[in-house]
Each structure stands twice: as C-alpha cells, then as structure tokens.
C-alpha cells in the first residue's frame, strides 16, 4: 500500500510540474516577411507590430511554413538554396 501512495505522490508531483510549465507558456503571433528587393527576411510581432528580428539569406525568398509551424522555409530560387528558420513555436 505504501508503494501505491508513493507512486501516486510522484505522479501528482509530475503533474504539478507540468501545470507550472503550461503556466509559463504564452500565445504569440508572428509574421515572416520576405524582402524581394534585398536578401532578407523579417520576423514581426503580429500584435504589437514590432520587429522581432531580421535574417540574412543568399537571395530573394519565397516563404513556406512547415506542417508543424515550427519552421519557416525560405526558398531562394535564384541562389539555388533553401534556408530553414525556427519560428519559435514549441
């Protein structure tokens, strides 16, 4: 019986830790914009409009989202390359 209670207490501790991790999560909306005049991609916070960051690539890019949303692929046809950028979504 003691083993059962210890296992139940361990499971509750794990669940409490999972709830704390979920409490730290936040919702964010980002836009990735390719500049066809310059070889750059800009990440923008869709709510505030503020710039999150700028990424240099080898050529003008067409952007594609991964199925999971965890990456943005910058296909640079004229440069013959594809660059993967983490979207920050986990």
């Amino acid at each position: 019986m003691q083993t059962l209670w210890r296992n139940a207490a361990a499971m509750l501790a794990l669940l409490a830790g999972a709830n704390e991790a979920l409490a730290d999560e936040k919702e964010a909306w980002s836009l990735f914009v390719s500049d066809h005049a310059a070889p750059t991609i800009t990440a923008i916070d869709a709510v505030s409009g503020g710039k999150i960051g700028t990424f240099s690539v080898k050529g003008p890019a067409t952007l594609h989202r991964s199925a999971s949303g965890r990456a943005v692929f910058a296909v640079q046809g004229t440069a013959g390359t594809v660059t993967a950028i983490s979207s920050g979504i986990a």
Side-chain angles (χ1 to χ4, degrees), residues 1-10:
M1 189 69 166
Q2 272 187 330
T3 302
L4 180 62
W5 284 112
R6 264 184 276 174
N7 289 342

Side-chain angles (χ1 to χ4, degrees), residues 44-56:
I44 300 168
D45 183 312
V47 176
S48 71
K51 182 166 60 169
I52 298 170
T54 301
F55 306 91
S56 295

Side-chain angles (χ1 to χ4, degrees), residues 61-76:
T62 301
L63 303 179
H64 300 275
R65 177 180 83 85
S66 68
S68 67
R70 292 182 178 197
V72 174
F73 297 105
V75 179
Q76 302 138 70

Side-chain angles (χ1 to χ4, degrees), residues 20-39:
E20 288 175 18
L22 290 175
D24 291 338
E25 290 183 8
K26 67 176 187 174
E27 185 175 276
W29 294 86
S30 300
L31 300 172
F32 288 80
V33 180
S34 176
D35 185 340
H36 287 274

